[in-house]
């Protein structure tokens, strides 16, 4: 038997990453300053780790209820109310998942299949498209534009909608652009959707990381609440990436469907992580606030650094990414990243890793120490000065 | 203003220009706020935390619990001042509970510290008693952990 031939074609033909070559290169250059890691550099706050240790000492080592510990669902319910003004019943409208990642997957699996279309704004997180394709549904991409500050425009949405459209993925605050959608932007999207049978999967994993205005969810509009699945998690807000814990809040019928997929595929989310998460939601606010202040300082330093390097850089107001345009250098995104890595030992990610329309941009992440950011920005300035001389 | 203090508390060597960049302010504005904070004795000093154990210099630290009689009209402040003016004293706090002052003393050797207690501190008129505890190992001071820095063990690229 040739095992390769046994693999389902949609899986076999799915590239493991659009930028494999660049990945391999970054792994080779060991001493580079890395602005290519979409993960907090902070460790999980100690009080949260300590709560997990305590739960282990107490012997809380068994399966939890499939939907997650009720105490945690209750805390999630309080938290999303307190933070975002969203009300969900912990018994019927909240499910605890293995990261926001699992929530995205089981939501799509519960909603779409062959013949359905899923609208995915790009550039965006790399999982939406493959998860859609694996269900047999068709991804329909909408190209976000820097001149719109990478916000989804109602006209773009209208143009993408067909009678097969079943889901819109709304990825804000956005990875990789750092864009956010304000209330007035969401209002226009809500107006397009209010009389249509389209479910919004709102990936709000970076909701805590906004700079300036507080995060608003499309579920805040009463006519959108029923149609929206809010996905969030602990990875970014509480620096808990390795704990693999997230959650989804939405209509009881959708949560029930996701519950079934989750129950049979996963059984339940890690119990230790759930105990840690209860502590995070109860007592984590001060840490989160301090962390957001620090990210904001780094964000300003990085945006200023790219602008000094002569690159157009739109002001990102969320997540922990900066997404400058590198077209003035005359290089492609991958060429820019490879040469920056080899010549100046700074790693950033080619924008086209997040969709074709990311070409001409790079993603730099400021979840890195301030010293490293300051040093990296100096090197990037050297780099652009050197290459702008070549151009003329 | 509070955020300037937050930044400086973590890294006192950072320049006004860098702070300005982080906070979206003007460097001159940061400088004048910082100078005002210094004048008002809110910023007292820009110290460095050193792990002397890794150097050749020998140092010994002791924490001394001191009971004193407060002085009429001046409470504990005058007694404390008599004590904290000695350069050997690194920190001095008024405490609630069983004793009155915590005095942290640094010296080259245990003998030197012992002599300081016996000859300078204990004989003071208002000092009733002292109890000296020597520090064996420093794990953390001023919010800084002494062991080796954490390695960044994240994957090279995460999308
Ligand atoms: C936009 C977005 N959504 C979801 C995730 C997945 O996060 P989790 O760790 O909760 O699975 C990420 C992680 O990078 C992300 O950037």
């Amino acid at each position: 038997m040739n095992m390769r031939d046994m693999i389902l074609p949609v899986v076999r033909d799915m590239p493991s990453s659009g930028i494999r070559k660049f990945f391999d290169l970054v792994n080779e250059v060991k001493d580079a300053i890395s602005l290519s890691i979409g993960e907090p550099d902070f460790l999980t706050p100690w009080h949260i780790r300590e709560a997990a240790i305590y739960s282990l000492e107490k012997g809380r080592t068994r399966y939890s209820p499939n939907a997650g510990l009720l105490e945690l669902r209750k805390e999630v319910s309080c938290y999303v109310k307190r933070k975002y003004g969203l009300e969900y019943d912990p018994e019927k409208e909240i499910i605890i998942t293995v990261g926001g990642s699992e929530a995205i997957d089981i939501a799509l699996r519960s909603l779409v299949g062959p013949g359905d279309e899923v609208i995915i704004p790009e550039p965006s997180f790399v999982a939406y498209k493959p998860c859609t394709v694996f269900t047999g549904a068709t991804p329909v991409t909408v190209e976000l534009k820097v001149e719109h500050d990478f916000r989804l425009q109602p006209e773009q949405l209208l143009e993408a909608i067909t009678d097969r459209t079943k889901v819109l993925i709304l990825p804000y605050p956005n990875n990789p652009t750092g864009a956010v959608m304000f209330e007035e932007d969401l209002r226009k999207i809500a107006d397009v959707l209010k009389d249509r049978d389209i479910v919004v999967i709102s990936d709000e994993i970076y909701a805590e990381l906004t700079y300036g205005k507080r995060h608003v969810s499309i579920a805040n509009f009463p006519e959108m609440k029923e149609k929206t699945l809010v996905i969030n998690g602990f990875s970014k807000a509480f620096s808990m990436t390795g704990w693999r814990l997230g959650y989804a809040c939405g209509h009881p019928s959708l949560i029930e469907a996701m519950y079934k997929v989750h129950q049979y595929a996963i059984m339940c989310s890690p119990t230790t992580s759930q105990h840690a998460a209860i502590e995070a939601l109860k007592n984590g606010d001060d840490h989160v606030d301090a962390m957001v202040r620090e990210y904001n300082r780094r964000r300003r330093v990085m945006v200023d650094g790219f602008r000094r390097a002569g690159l157009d850089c739109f002001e990102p107001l969320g997540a922990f990414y900066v997404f400058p345009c590198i077209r003035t250098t005359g290089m492609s995104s991958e060429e820019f990243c490879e040469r920056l890595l080899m010549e100046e030992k700074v790693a950033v990610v080619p924008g086209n890793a997040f969709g074709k329309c990311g070409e001409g941009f790079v993603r730099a992440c400021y979840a890195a120490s301030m010293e490293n950011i300051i040093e990296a920005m100096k090197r990037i300035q050297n780099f652009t000065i050197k290459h702008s001389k070549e151009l003329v | 203003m509070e955020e300037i203090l937050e930044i400086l508390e973590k890294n006192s060597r950072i320049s006004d220009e860098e702070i300005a960049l982080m906070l979206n302010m003007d460097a001159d504005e940061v400088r004048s706020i910082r100078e005002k904070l210094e004048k008002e004795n809110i910023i007292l000093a820009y110290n460095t935390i050193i792990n002397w154990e890794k150097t050749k210099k020998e140092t010994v630290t002791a924490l001394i619990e001191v009971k004193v009689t407060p002085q009429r009209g001046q409470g504990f402040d005058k007694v404390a001042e008599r004590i904290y003016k000695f350069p050997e004293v690194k920190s001095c706090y008024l405490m609630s509970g069983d004793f009155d002052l915590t005095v942290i003393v640094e010296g080259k050797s245990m003998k030197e510290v012992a002599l300081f207690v016996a000859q300078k501190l204990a004989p003071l008129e208002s000092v009733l008693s002292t109890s000296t505890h020597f520090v064996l190992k420093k794990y953390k001071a001023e919010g800084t952990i002494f062991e080796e820095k954490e390695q960044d063990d994240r994957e090279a690229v995460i999308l």
Side-chain angles (χ1 to χ4, degrees):
Chain A
M1 183 180 73
N2 183 342
M3 187 57 88
R4 214 186 131 67
D5 292 340
M6 301 299 286
I7 307 297
L8 197 63
V10 282
V11 178
R12 188 192 58 210
D13 302 339
M14 180 69 66
S16 59
S17 163
I19 49 159
R20 193 69 253 165
K21 191 168 135 232
F22 180 69
F23 264 62
D24 295 341
L25 200 63
V26 177
N27 274 313
E28 273 167 40
V29 185
K30 285 275 177 270
D31 51 348
I33 297 181
S34 186
L35 307 178
S36 51
I37 312 175
E39 166 176 29
D41 57 318
F42 300 108
L43 293 177
T44 308
W46 178 250
H47 70 107
I48 298 173
R49 287 189 267 163
E50 209 270 338
I53 295 167
Y54 181 69
S55 81
L56 290 172
E57 280 173 353
K58 293 283 258 179
R60 309 264 184 266
T61 60
R62 302 198 168 100
Y63 293 131
S64 81
N66 296 121
L69 296 168
L70 182 59
E71 187 186 356
L72 176 57
R73 281 179 283 145
K74 283 182 176 160
E75 285 300 333
V76 167
S77 175
C78 293
Y79 177 84
V80 295
K81 169 120 202 282
R82 171 163 64 88
K83 290 272 185 175
Y84 314 117
L86 297 170
E87 289 191 43
Y88 291 102
D89 175 358
E91 309 254 8
K92 294 198 188 77
E93 300 179 320
I94 296 175
I95 183 168
I96 306 299
T97 56
V98 179
S101 300
E102 192 219 344
I104 294 165
D105 180 43
I106 62 175
L108 286 167
R109 286 207 271 161
S110 302
L111 288 164
V112 297
D116 297 327
E117 291 179 355
V118 176
I119 299 178
I120 303 175
E122 283 188 341
S124 59
F125 182 47
V126 293
Y128 307 134
K129 218 175 189 170
C131 285
T132 301
V133 170
F134 290 153
T135 67
T138 308
V140 175
T141 54
V142 172
E143 300 193 352
L144 302 170
K145 297 270 192 281
V146 67
E147 54 267 33
H148 300 140
D149 288 352
F150 295 107
R151 292 177 194 159
L152 177 63
Q153 303 298 302
E155 303 79 32
Q156 291 183 299
L157 176 59
L158 270 170
E159 209 174 297
I161 291 174
T162 71
D163 37 0
R164 288 196 296 271
T165 305
K166 213 160 167 204
V167 166
L168 163 69
I169 292 185
L170 199 58
Y172 295 92
N174 183 267
N175 170 16
T177 63
V180 298
M181 297 267 285
F182 292 141
E183 188 173 340
E184 56 270 26
D185 306 307
L186 292 169
R187 151 76 39 222
K188 293 181 199 144
I189 300 301
D191 285 343
V192 173
L193 295 173
K194 66 171 185 280
D195 299 319
R196 290 186 160 88
D197 290 340
I198 295 174
V199 175
V200 180
I201 297 182
S202 187
D203 183 351
E204 303 179 17
I205 194 104
Y206 293 102
E208 276 303 291
L209 310 185
T210 59
Y211 313 100
K213 291 193 193 177
R214 282 210 63 85
H215 172 74
V216 179
S217 170
I218 195 161
N220 287 117
F221 297 103
E223 73 275 22
M224 289 306 297
K225 169 122 188 282
E226 288 230 308
K227 300 179 174 196
T228 302
L229 181 75
V230 173
I231 291 178
N232 204 333
F234 299 87
S235 290
K236 319 289 169 168
F238 300 98
S239 305
M240 292 178 70
T241 45
W243 301 75
R244 308 311 305 128
L245 208 66
Y247 53 89
C249 311
H251 191 284
S253 302
L254 177 53
I255 296 298
E256 193 192 342
M258 290 169 62
Y259 175 91
K260 275 190 255 178
V261 183
H262 172 81
Q263 172 185 23
Y264 293 127
I266 305 279
M267 193 85 129
C268 70
S269 299
T271 303
T272 310
S273 302
Q274 294 189 56
H275 285 288
I278 290 169
E279 171 65 21
L281 296 179
K282 274 187 173 157
N283 300 312
D285 283 6
D286 288 350
H287 270 287
V288 173
D289 293 347
M291 191 186 67
V292 172
R293 283 200 298 280
E294 173 66 15
Y295 279 142
N296 196 8
R297 301 194 281 259
R298 298 169 177 183
R299 179 184 72 93
R300 293 185 183 120
V301 170
M302 192 178 265
V303 169
D304 179 84
F306 278 115
R307 288 181 180 161
R308 275 174 209 239
L311 300 176
D312 276 335
C313 186
F314 120 96
E315 171 108 25
L317 294 176
F320 37 48
Y321 307 106
V322 174
F323 203 62
C325 178
I326 50 91
R327 290 199 186 108
T328 51
T329 62
M331 295 179 219
S332 72
S333 293
E334 286 192 52
E335 194 185 350
F336 181 96
C337 293
E338 278 173 31
R339 292 174 72 174
L340 180 64
L341 180 63
M342 299 317 284
E343 293 170 27
E344 297 287 342
K345 295 203 185 312
V346 175
V348 298
V349 180
N352 56 315
F354 306 93
K356 275 204 205 77
C357 60
E359 178 53 51
F361 296 83
V362 299
R363 187 193 78 175
C365 176
Y366 48 87
S369 72
M370 188 67 88
E371 299 85 79
N372 277 353
I373 291 172
I374 290 172
E375 174 60 26
M377 297 330 286
K378 278 188 200 141
R379 295 188 192 180
I380 290 170
Q381 280 159 38
N382 284 342
F383 181 79
T384 54
I385 289 167
K386 193 169 88 188
H387 292 288
S388 70
K389 283 193 191 120
E390 280 168 19
L391 270 180
V392 289
Chain B
M1 184 195 87
E2 230 161 78
E3 207 169 349
I4 295 181
L5 291 173
E6 185 179 304
I7 294 168
L8 282 170
E9 193 177 26
K10 258 188 260 164
N11 178 5
S12 60
R13 293 195 62 195
I14 204 148
S15 68
D16 294 335
E17 286 72 22
E18 284 168 324
I19 295 177
L21 212 63
M22 290 175 198
L23 300 183
N24 201 15
M25 292 169 73
D26 209 66
D28 290 334
E29 204 182 330
V30 173
R31 183 169 311 107
S32 75
I33 292 174
R34 189 175 50 74
E35 283 167 0
K36 185 158 169 276
L37 289 165
E38 290 170 13
K39 228 179 254 135
E40 290 173 355
N41 248 1
I42 293 173
I43 294 177
L44 297 169
Y46 300 93
N47 285 336
T48 306
I49 299 164
I50 298 170
N51 187 355
W52 285 110
E53 272 187 29
K54 292 194 137 187
T55 69
K56 294 218 175 69
K57 189 176 163 187
E58 292 278 331
T59 52
V60 176
T61 306
L63 184 152
I64 307 164
E65 299 169 1
V66 184
K67 283 188 192 161
V68 298
T69 36
Q71 287 177 0
R72 167 169 305 210
Q74 283 155 332
F76 290 100
D77 294 354
K78 205 75 202 160
V79 193
E81 187 185 345
R82 292 279 306 261
I83 295 174
Y84 67 63
K85 286 248 164 113
F86 286 109
E88 292 90 337
V89 174
K90 295 297 162 192
S91 309
C92 180
Y93 310 114
L94 181 64
M95 309 299 290
S96 65
D98 281 349
F99 58 96
D100 304 306
L101 296 172
T102 290
V103 177
I104 295 175
V105 173
E106 246 174 52
K108 284 196 216 47
S109 62
M110 269 164 80
K111 190 166 166 204
E112 192 181 286
V113 173
L115 281 175
F116 171 80
V117 175
Q119 295 179 351
K120 306 257 171 65
L121 190 58
L124 286 175
E125 208 178 308
S126 28
V127 169
L128 299 173
S129 72
T130 66
S131 167
T132 302
H133 310 274
F134 283 99
V135 171
L136 300 182
K137 183 173 177 179
K138 288 184 185 170
Y139 295 104
K140 186 177 184 181
E142 306 295 331
T144 300
I145 295 174
F146 275 52
E147 69 180 28
E148 296 302 320
K149 288 201 171 70
E150 298 260 2
Q151 288 286 331
D152 186 344
D153 59 357
R154 295 178 295 169
E155 298 293 307
V157 181
I158 292 171
L159 301 175

